[in-house]
Amino acid sequence: MYSHSKRILILLILFPMADFSLAQEAQLLIRPYLQDARPDGITIKWETASGEESMVEYGTNPQLGQEASGISYPINYTSSRVHEVQLSDLKRMTLYYYRVKTGAILSDIYQFKTPSFASDKEAFRLVAMSDMQEDTKYPDKFGELVQDGLLTYLKAQYEGMVPDNLALMMIPGDLVADGSVYEEWKRDFFDPASELFSQVPVYPVPGNHERNSQYFFTYFSLPTNGSPAYDEHWWYKDHSNIRIIGLDSNPFYRDVREQLEWLEEVLDATVENEAIDFVFAQLHHPFKSEMWLPGEEEFSGKVVKLLEQFSTESGKPSIHFFGHTHAYSRGQSRDHKHLWINVATSGGNIDYWGEYAQKNYEEFTITQDEYGFVMVDVDPNAGDPKLTVRRYSRGNEYQFRDNELRDSLTVWRFDKKPQTPKAISPKGEVAYRDITLKASPFSSSLDKAEHGASHWQVATSREFQDLVLDSWKQYEDWYAYTDHQKNDDLTDELIQVLQPKTTYFWRVRYRDKNLNWSEWSETVAFTTQ
């Protein structure tokens, strides 16, 4: 058997011109990928089979013209090296061209765009995907989602280069099937997405399949502003007017007291930070999972509670992105402007309906056993910031979908309350069986606002401290291929739990599909016969 270096030498002797690039490609194991983008800088990484030189040539046109050097470090007890170069003194909102160099190895020329400051009020777009670990039945699924899915979608919808239309990528875990297997990182994660990662910075958090492997922490250079003893396990990153928080929900780390204490401190500081309009947290494990109950994790519930409290205290909407369950889900907290979004699956075997222990949770309005990706458009909008979440589906093994829009939602930074509903009936004396609460139609001054939810309360005291009914119904409830809220116009509610000869008080409030609640209606009393 020939050694690797001898095979390269033979190629160069037999085909000195045609195969020089092939020799270089054999040495460039992982093509350049982007990390930690800032308005004035960015980190570029790559891996080679050998060589310690770490050089980036860059500039604002393909002629490049500038150079920066960095460091390299071993990764696999061989001559392979991971290279890292930090570019600084860049101009914000500027397209740059670059290539990497290690000895005779010279990459192609790629592009990236520096982000804006929040004060620039520049709209941007990000993508969230997770659980791209290889499914042996469909081993190329992640590559398909990147190429035929995300990149094809961007090309079809927008003009310009990829960095002009996509600012970053979030990945809440399970990048590979087994993070302790070195070969999987190149084959199953970096290679299928190399065209994307070379142009758009990627921000992952570890899932259970990463197995807390050192490969994860070697390949990624994440912010180091978490707890000092737990670098890159939890961190935050500001991009324009959003704060992205990365968390580690895996065993041991989810039990570390410092993580939740750190999160609480970061959220407290974010309340006072006028530059931040939205908070996006990502962690791997769900608090609630309609498709796979064994995957639920109580630690994630503690995170959700802190985010809910933050959003209510600050008025700044928040989202927690997660995975682990291999299906898309989107829900929202009842009393807080907070979204729950499972952005799986991007390659892992789909969790189909009926396959595992499952439950219809009231928070979730839609769950789909499909591959896909989630796009989030953030618009600072001249003092009235908003974000729009869209889910694009690639279908499943039974029904193909070609980047089909399957879910969307827009949320504004500031409240745009619907009109307070009027409590119509019952009033006075009524029969105590099968009573239907009735309220006025939904109305809002917000253009194109639609009725998203109703919250009904019945109590035996005017202060509503002793509730006998506390019902929250949303405009849709897609569970097991069926919308369980179909034909409910949300303006009435049947109750069958009342006692005779009792005085009750009731009220209702309406929510639009943008998560804005109205005020409570007036309180109305009735007495059962």
Side-chain angles (χ1 to χ4, degrees):
M1 295 290 292
Y2 289 115
S3 67
H4 179 79
S5 58
K6 285 183 178 179
R7 289 197 299 270
I8 298 297
L9 181 60
I10 290 172
L11 285 170
L12 293 177
I13 292 173
L14 295 177
F15 309 101
M17 295 300 293
D19 287 306
F20 181 66
S21 61
L22 180 62
Q24 288 187 316
E25 184 69 18
Q27 292 290 311
L28 185 61
L29 297 181
I30 293 178
R31 282 171 272 187
Y33 58 99
L34 303 174
Q35 299 275 275
D36 197 18
R38 307 170 298 282
D40 63 350
I42 199 167
T43 298
I44 301 174
K45 303 187 75 169
W46 66 99
E47 183 181 355
T48 59
S50 62
E52 296 195 14
E53 182 184 33
S54 304
M55 183 72 68
V56 172
E57 300 173 347
Y58 66 99
T60 54
N61 58 61
Q63 284 67 49
L64 308 178
Q66 295 177 266
E67 288 185 344
S69 61
I71 60 174
S72 68
Y73 30 87
I75 188 169
N76 195 36
Y77 306 104
T78 67
S79 59
S80 296
R81 309 285 292 185
V82 172
H83 305 264
E84 179 177 334
V85 175
Q86 295 186 21
L87 304 186
S88 58
D89 298 323
L90 304 182
K91 298 177 181 178
R92 71 184 192 279
M93 296 185 293
T94 300
L95 186 70
Y96 282 88
Y97 296 79
Y98 77 97
R99 65 183 176 188
V100 303
K101 181 176 180 294
T102 299
I105 302 170
L106 199 63
S107 76
D108 291 334
I109 295 177
Y110 304 98
Q111 304 84 35
F112 67 83
K113 188 175 183 179
T114 50
S116 65
F117 290 110
S119 58
D120 294 317
K121 305 298 182 184
E122 183 79 4
F124 63 94
R125 182 176 301 106
L126 63 86
V127 63
M129 303 169 67
S130 78
D131 294 77
M132 50 276 296
Q133 75 262 32
E134 183 189 41
D135 174 9
T136 53
K137 189 175 180 180
Y138 301 104
D140 300 322
K141 182 57 66 174
F142 178 46
E144 176 204 314
L145 260 73
V146 170
Q147 293 294 330
D148 299 337
L150 177 59
L151 293 177
T152 296
Y153 164 83
L154 291 173
K155 184 177 181 181
Q157 295 294 320
Y158 308 104
E159 296 180 354
M161 300 179 179
V162 171
D164 292 321
N165 300 308
L166 189 65
L168 61 95
M169 181 179 190
M170 296 173 60
I171 305 178
D174 280 6
L175 288 65
V176 293
D178 186 342
S180 64
V181 177
Y182 167 72
E183 290 77 16
E184 289 190 12
W185 288 96
K186 169 180 167 59
R187 183 191 69 212
D188 301 334
F189 181 72
F190 285 108
D191 278 0
S194 62
E195 184 179 351
L196 176 64
F197 294 164
S198 62
Q199 302 181 80
V200 174
V202 57
Y203 298 91
V205 295
N208 56 295
H209 277 271
E210 275 63 71
R211 302 182 187 275
N212 198 36
S213 166
Q214 191 55 43
Y215 292 134
F216 178 92
F217 298 98
T218 300
Y219 277 125
F220 300 108
S221 294
L222 300 167
T224 55
N225 48 20
S227 304
Y230 302 97
D231 270 354
E232 299 183 288
H233 285 276
W234 47 89
W235 45 268
Y236 73 86
K237 172 70 181 177
D238 292 346
H239 184 104
S240 185
N241 64 332
I242 68 169
R243 175 159 288 176
I244 300 171
I245 300 175
L247 300 168
D248 192 336
S249 59
N250 289 292
F252 177 75
Y253 294 99
R254 63 188 177 215
D255 298 321
V256 173
R257 173 176 49 83
E258 286 89 341
Q259 183 168 192
L260 288 177
E261 290 178 348
W262 172 87
L263 175 59
E264 193 166 4
E265 291 174 359
V266 169
L267 292 175
D268 286 345
T270 310
V271 171
E272 306 300 328
N273 190 330
E274 295 182 358
I276 301 300
D277 293 314
F278 306 104
V279 166
F280 297 169
Q282 60 172 351
L283 72 171
H284 185 60
H285 297 80
F287 171 43
K288 295 181 179 180
S289 171
E290 290 198 329
M291 298 288 275
W292 187 41
L293 299 183
E296 298 177 342
E297 174 50 50
E298 186 61 32
F299 166 82
S300 301
K302 297 175 182 178
V303 172
V304 171
K305 184 177 180 180
L306 288 175
L307 290 167
E308 289 176 335
Q309 291 173 346
F310 159 79
S311 288
T312 296
E313 178 184 351
S314 67
K316 301 177 181 184
S318 59
I319 304 174
H320 77 280
F321 296 96
F322 57 98
H324 200 46
T325 300
H326 293 178
Y328 171 71
S329 286
R330 191 262 297 167
Q332 38 277 328
S333 300
R334 188 189 72 181
D335 299 317
H336 313 272
K337 199 175 280 190
H338 175 78
L339 286 170
W340 312 37
I341 304 181
N342 182 343
V343 298
T345 172
S346 301
N349 183 39
I350 290 176
D351 296 334
Y352 285 102
W353 288 113
E355 212 171 359
Y356 304 102
Q358 296 166 344
K359 181 178 179 180
N360 190 355
Y361 284 112
E362 65 177 357
E363 288 88 357
F364 291 106
T365 52
I366 186 165
T367 294
Q368 299 164 337
D369 49 0
E370 299 172 357
Y371 300 107
F373 55 93
V374 171
M375 304 290 289
V376 183
D377 285 79
V378 181
D379 186 359
N381 202 27
D384 192 18
K386 65 179 179 179
L387 64 85
T388 299
V389 177
R390 296 182 177 91
R391 167 70 173 192
Y392 292 94
S393 174
R394 300 290 299 168
N396 55 36
E397 59 186 305
Y398 306 106
Q399 181 174 1
F400 173 71
R401 300 182 190 273
D402 191 7
N403 300 339
E404 182 179 333
L405 178 62
R406 295 275 282 155
D407 186 32
S408 65
L409 178 77
T410 297
V411 177
W412 272 267
R413 158 71 172 86
F414 299 107
D415 278 342
K416 302 178 184 299
K417 293 183 178 182
Q419 292 183 8
T420 303
K422 294 180 180 180
I424 297 175
S425 63
K427 298 178 181 178
E429 291 191 358
V430 296
Y432 79 93
R433 294 183 184 276
D434 296 339
I435 295 173
T436 298
L437 307 178
K438 181 64 179 177
S440 59
F442 174 85
S443 181
S444 173
S445 60
L446 178 62
D447 185 39
K448 298 182 181 179
E450 296 179 297
H451 200 165
S454 295
H455 185 190
W456 309 84
Q457 289 187 335
V458 178
T460 55
S461 70
R462 190 174 290 274
E463 293 75 25
F464 292 90
Q465 293 177 343
D466 49 353
L467 293 171
V468 295
L469 176 75
D470 191 27
S471 175
W472 174 39
K473 298 289 180 62
Q474 302 201 70
Y475 72 100
E476 62 179 351
D477 178 22
W478 285 98
Y479 180 85
Y481 309 118
T482 300
D483 181 5
H484 295 268
Q485 277 295 95
K486 186 178 181 180
N487 299 324
D488 185 352
D489 72 356
L490 303 175
T491 63
D492 53 28
E493 181 73 359
L494 176 66
I495 50 176
Q496 300 173 300
V497 294
L498 303 184
Q499 299 298 317
K501 301 184 184 307
T502 306
T503 297
Y504 292 97
F505 302 87
W506 73 277
R507 62 183 181 177
V508 63
R509 60 176 176 162
Y510 287 166
R511 194 183 212 179
D512 64 20
K513 294 180 181 179
N514 314 106
L515 307 190
N516 297 299
W517 277 112
S518 71
E519 299 293 341
W520 285 102
S521 70
E522 64 175 340
T523 298
V524 175
F526 65 91
T527 301
T528 55
Q529 296 176 345

